Amino acid sequence: MRQILLDTETTGLNARSGDRIIEIGCVELLNRRLTGNNLHFYLNPERDSEEGALAVHGLTTEFLSDKPKFATIATELLDYVSGAEIIIHNAPFDLAFLNAELKRLDLQSFDAYVEKITDTLVQAKELHPGKRNSLDSLCDRYGISNGHRTLHGALLDAELLAEVYLAMTRGQKSFTIDLATPEQQPADGIVAELPPLADIICVCASADELAEHDAVLAGLNKQTKGDCVWIGEAAA
């Protein structure tokens, strides 16, 4: 399963009014593992960035003046994403700019070259309704360090999005372990040996912590009139 996390930076917010892509960052996942086979371009948009956009990404017209134009890198980009699942945060925004650039070259829309497009903003809203679901907010929620992100950058944001996506889609929805039924046991009765577990570090509670825990259980036991199940388990 090949997945590409993609992000862009642009001269402004509206592709229809002529704003252009100035940076593209792509990070590759293969079977949910980072491969390091990333793709990154700075692009000459042939126009200045709007003041608000410049404050976000910091890529000046002077810096971008000697960078390739989108037409120069279009084939390399499309070859790279071909047949992959493309994962974008707030996909309609980036797709509007990519499609506008491809239209200028008389090429098909971006989704014609890829397997599917997944919007992590939609996923995040389903998982965390009513919460803030910006990339920064998701980094905070999942404990992903983004302190080095002083300005937006397409490759950096794609790398952060990869970590957020993996955290959001781990798939564990229960702490229970399904044990094999007799029908699922090997016919010959031989079970493959598991590799040895790594050393487990056990941190025991201090005396103060145990006392505080007992006090909480005592309070619960009082509220439930002696029916606190954890009191019984502890005694057992």
Side-chain angles (χ1 to χ4, degrees):
M1 181 173 62
R2 184 169 182 260
Q3 297 169 301
I4 304 295
L5 291 297
L6 183 148
D7 188 63
T8 64
E9 296 298 334
T10 62
T11 62
L13 298 177
N14 195 340
R16 292 184 178 180
S17 67
D19 281 318
R20 304 286 298 272
I21 296 175
I22 58 174
E23 185 184 6
I24 301 174
C26 299
V27 171
E28 183 184 62
L29 290 177
L30 195 58
N31 296 324
R32 293 179 59 81
R33 293 180 181 274
L34 293 165
T35 67
N37 178 30
N38 302 336
L39 191 70
H40 180 233
F41 299 108
Y42 288 115
L43 301 173
N44 179 357
E46 303 178 89
R47 60 167 293 169
D48 294 335
S49 288
E50 295 177 2
E51 186 175 343
L54 182 59
V56 169
H57 55 66
L59 300 176
T60 64
T61 301
E62 181 181 6
F63 172 78
L64 298 169
S65 62
D66 62 347
K67 302 301 183 285
K69 298 175 184 177
F70 184 88
T72 306
I73 61 91
T75 299
E76 184 178 355
L77 173 65
L78 295 177
D79 287 345
Y80 177 83
V81 301
S82 178
E85 177 186 2
I86 308 302
I87 301 168
I88 307 174
H89 199 67
N90 191 17
F93 178 86
D94 299 85
L95 291 175
F97 280 90
L98 288 165
N99 287 335
E101 297 286 0
L102 293 171
K103 187 176 181 180
R104 291 185 182 96
L105 303 176
D106 294 323
L107 294 172
Q108 299 179 77
S109 61
F110 187 76
D111 60 358
Y113 299 92
V114 303
E115 179 66 23
K116 64 182 289 191
I117 294 171
T118 297
D119 191 339
T120 49
L121 179 57
V122 173
Q123 289 182 324
K125 287 180 177 180
E126 291 173 351
L127 288 170
H128 311 290
K131 305 274 185 159
R132 293 180 56 125
N133 289 301
S134 67
L135 185 57
D136 282 335
S137 297
L138 291 171
C139 285
D140 290 341
R141 188 167 300 140
Y142 289 105
I144 295 166
S145 174
N146 64 343
H148 53 301
R149 185 180 184 247
T150 55
L151 291 172
H152 286 243
L155 185 59
L156 172 59
D157 285 1
E159 290 170 341
L160 290 173
L161 181 58
E163 295 189 63
V164 166
Y165 174 77
L166 291 172
M168 281 202 307
T169 58
R170 285 195 183 108
Q172 181 174 336
K173 298 181 180 178
S174 170
F175 289 108
T176 61
I177 300 174
D178 295 327
L179 299 178
T181 63
E183 293 80 7
Q184 295 171 316
Q185 298 290 351
D188 56 9
I190 299 174
V191 180
E193 280 191 19
L194 295 174
L197 294 174
D199 292 338
I200 298 174
I201 299 174
C202 180
V203 180
C204 297
S206 67
D208 290 342
E209 289 169 335
L210 289 172
E212 187 175 348
H213 178 258
D214 289 341
V216 171
L217 289 184
L220 289 173
N221 199 45
K222 183 177 180 180
Q223 293 176 28
T224 59
K225 299 181 179 179
D227 288 333
C228 178
V229 296
W230 293 289
I231 293 286
E233 290 292 331

